[in-house]
Amino acid sequence: MTTPKETFKLMNRVYGVLFLALIVFLVITSLYVSNNGPMLLFTPGTAYTLMVLAVGLVILALPLAWAYPQRLVKRINPQDPFPQRMDQYRNALIIRFVIVATTGLLVSMLFLLTGDNNLIMILAIILLFFIISRPSPFKTEADLGLKEEERKQLL
């Protein structure tokens, strides 16, 4: 079993990799669209439908990315050993990161296909949510209700 500190470092690494992948894909798609235009030409009605689809996806995914992992965190038994609680917390946060990163990648792909600049604003909201959900020792302490000795193990 890993130590709580190693588990916390792993959470941060997963967060960093997914965040970096999202940023790199966004930059690549932005450069491609600015140099070559959108990959596919759509009628205005189809482009609008794809934008509404992206907005609907974000409206569904971001609350899901917050609520479902929070529900998992609330189900963590405070009587379990600290390393086991940290593993469960890590799993919940990884689910959050994957939902947000997948949503961002899908919206980036829609931007690549349509070239609609409004999708960049939607991506900004996704990135803001991703930044806000970055794991920190203080959030971990608040979510898990850590005792003083457990907090020291985490730092």
Side-chain angles (χ1 to χ4, degrees):
M1 190 176 284
T2 60
T3 66
K5 191 171 191 171
E6 291 170 348
T7 302
F8 187 75
K9 285 181 182 179
L10 178 66
M11 281 189 314
N12 276 311
R13 269 188 244 126
V14 170
Y15 170 85
V17 166
L18 289 175
F19 187 73
L20 183 64
L22 188 57
I23 294 292
V24 167
F25 193 73
L26 174 61
V27 167
I28 290 170
T29 56
S30 295
L31 289 173
Y32 181 87
V33 170
S34 67
N35 289 330
N36 301 326
M39 289 186 81
L40 301 173
L41 295 175
F42 292 103
T43 62
T46 306
Y48 178 76
T49 303
L50 289 174
M51 202 221 12
V52 170
L53 178 72
V55 169
L57 177 68
V58 170
I59 287 173
L60 290 174
L62 292 186
L64 176 69
W66 181 84
Y68 182 67
Q70 279 305 112
R71 185 175 174 203
L72 293 177
V73 167
K74 297 229 183 282
R75 289 185 175 177
I76 296 174
N77 186 357
Q79 307 306 323
D80 288 344
F82 185 45
Q84 183 179 348
R85 287 188 290 151
M86 278 300 293
D87 286 342
Q88 293 171 346
Y89 185 67
R90 177 201 65 214
N91 293 341
L93 287 188
I94 287 175
I95 289 170
R96 175 178 291 159
F97 302 152
V98 168
I99 291 171
V100 175
T102 303
T103 304
L105 290 174
L106 289 174
V107 172
S108 292
M109 288 174 27
L110 285 174
F111 173 69
L112 182 64
L113 293 175
T114 65
D116 187 354
N117 289 330
N118 294 325
L119 293 172
I120 295 294
M121 297 304 292
I122 294 172
L123 282 164
I125 293 168
I126 293 170
L127 287 172
L128 181 64
F129 184 85
F130 210 89
I131 290 168
I132 289 171
S133 60
R134 181 177 187 264
S136 73
F138 305 109
K139 287 181 188 175
T140 304
E141 180 182 356
D143 286 342
L144 294 178
L146 300 181
K147 300 172 188 149
E148 185 65 31
E149 65 184 46
E150 294 170 337
R151 190 170 60 86
K152 287 180 182 175
Q153 289 179 20
L154 188 61
L155 301 174

